Amino acid sequence: PPGVDDTSSPDPQIVKARSLADPRALRKRIIRLSLPIFGENLLEMSLDIVNTILVAALGAAALAGAGAAIQIMQIVLSALAGLSTGGSILVAHAVGADNPAEGTRLARQALMWSFIIFTPMAVMGVILAPGLAGIFGLPPDATAMTASYLSVSLGAVPVLAMLMMSSGVLRGAGDARTPMYVTIGANVVNMVLAFVLIHGHWGAPELGVTGAAIASAISRTLALVVLVWLMARGRAGVSLSRPVGTILVSWKPRWDAAKAILHLGLPAAGEQLV
């Protein structure tokens, strides 16, 4: 209030308010948040680019088949990234309101509903994979490879959805670096697995295009396990495994939480699809 001398106050809220009022400090905060997000998105795309490069050695049909499947998966990935915006925004609101229990509740709900919603979609995707592969008008051998890649990748969509949502939750809690670091690790794992499984090195079976899809699925599954483990330990104030203070946060699915996440996430996902 006017007339109140707060120059000696240790209140962290006042310190934070001063820092946000400084344009230079605000620019630094924006850059610290945005650069890791940019890096994470770039790394997510580079994972499939690496697979395309490795598959290219198998010939034109394999390259066409994998390339067509990866185009579909890039659309799916973009939509899921947009959908994760809903969870990210809601967690950010809870963190900004200094309500860690609500942030944890929303994080748990986001993960559960990602699994609940996208598991039946994954089953449908596997069933529809041959039909989706046929829309590109490729030769039969390339179409078969597209269908094989899509069967594995669409079957892993629940993992991909939970991975995107976990990254969004941590970003909403103010931690944009951890998802980027985990994605770096996923890229390294994918590069090694794809090299081994596509060409059958080190005694592994030679799976060709299907090996590239399996490598992506395994690397993203491991990334999800790491993020969930970190959140279970209370990363960025989000706790998945224990009560927040004296408040016990339930894992029971709540439609109101799903509705709130979808209300914000679906328009963003639609924008990415377009």
Side-chain angles (χ1 to χ4, degrees):
V4 175
D5 181 12
D6 64 356
T7 54
S8 61
S9 172
D11 189 339
Q13 295 295 332
I14 294 177
V15 174
K16 184 177 180 180
R18 286 182 187 146
S19 68
L20 291 177
D22 182 355
R24 288 176 298 179
L26 185 58
R27 279 197 296 271
K28 289 180 180 178
R29 285 174 62 86
I30 292 172
I31 291 171
R32 280 201 302 268
L33 283 171
S34 60
L35 284 182
I37 297 172
F38 172 79
E40 181 191 356
N41 290 335
L42 189 64
L43 287 164
E44 279 291 350
M45 290 187 293
S46 67
L47 190 146
D48 287 326
I49 292 173
V50 167
N51 285 352
T52 304
I53 293 172
L54 292 174
V55 163
L58 299 177
L63 179 59
I70 287 172
Q71 287 195 47
I72 292 177
M73 292 310 301
Q74 285 292 331
I75 294 172
V76 173
L77 185 66
S78 297
L80 292 176
L83 186 63
S84 71
T85 302
S88 181
I89 292 172
L90 292 173
V91 170
H93 285 177
V95 171
D98 195 22
N99 189 348
E102 179 66 7
T104 292
R105 183 183 77 86
L106 289 166
R108 294 179 179 183
Q109 292 292 320
L111 284 174
M112 281 191 299
W113 282 107
S114 295
F115 179 78
I116 292 170
I117 292 173
F118 286 98
T119 296
M121 289 188 178
V123 175
M124 289 180 58
V126 172
I127 295 172
L128 297 175
L132 290 172
I135 66 176
F136 291 95
L138 297 173
D141 53 348
T143 299
M145 294 181 190
T146 302
S148 176
Y149 194 108
L150 284 177
S151 294
V152 175
S153 298
L154 292 176
V157 159
V159 169
L160 190 55
M162 294 172 72
L163 176 62
M164 294 291 101
M165 195 62 75
S166 298
S167 297
V169 164
L170 284 174
R171 287 196 297 269
D175 182 2
R177 291 178 180 270
T178 296
M180 181 186 70
Y181 293 146
V182 172
T183 307
I184 291 174
N187 271 261
V188 173
V189 172
N190 174 76
M191 191 180 301
V192 174
L193 286 177
F195 175 76
V196 171
L197 295 177
I198 291 173
H199 302 289
H201 294 296
W202 305 338
E206 185 178 348
L207 301 178
V209 170
T210 306
I214 293 173
S216 295
I218 292 175
S219 62
R220 283 167 171 155
T221 300
L222 292 176
L224 173 62
V225 170
V226 172
L227 286 180
V228 170
W229 178 75
L230 289 172
M231 288 190 291
R233 294 175 60 87
R235 191 75 170 190
V238 176
S239 176
L240 296 180
S241 63
R242 56 183 182 267
V244 179
T246 59
I247 302 173
L248 181 62
V249 183
S250 173
W251 275 95
K252 182 180 179 181
R254 294 175 58 94
W255 174 243
D256 61 331
K259 186 176 179 181
I261 293 169
L262 293 173
H263 176 73
L264 292 167
L266 283 178
E271 178 193 356
Q272 293 299 318
L273 280 171
V274 172

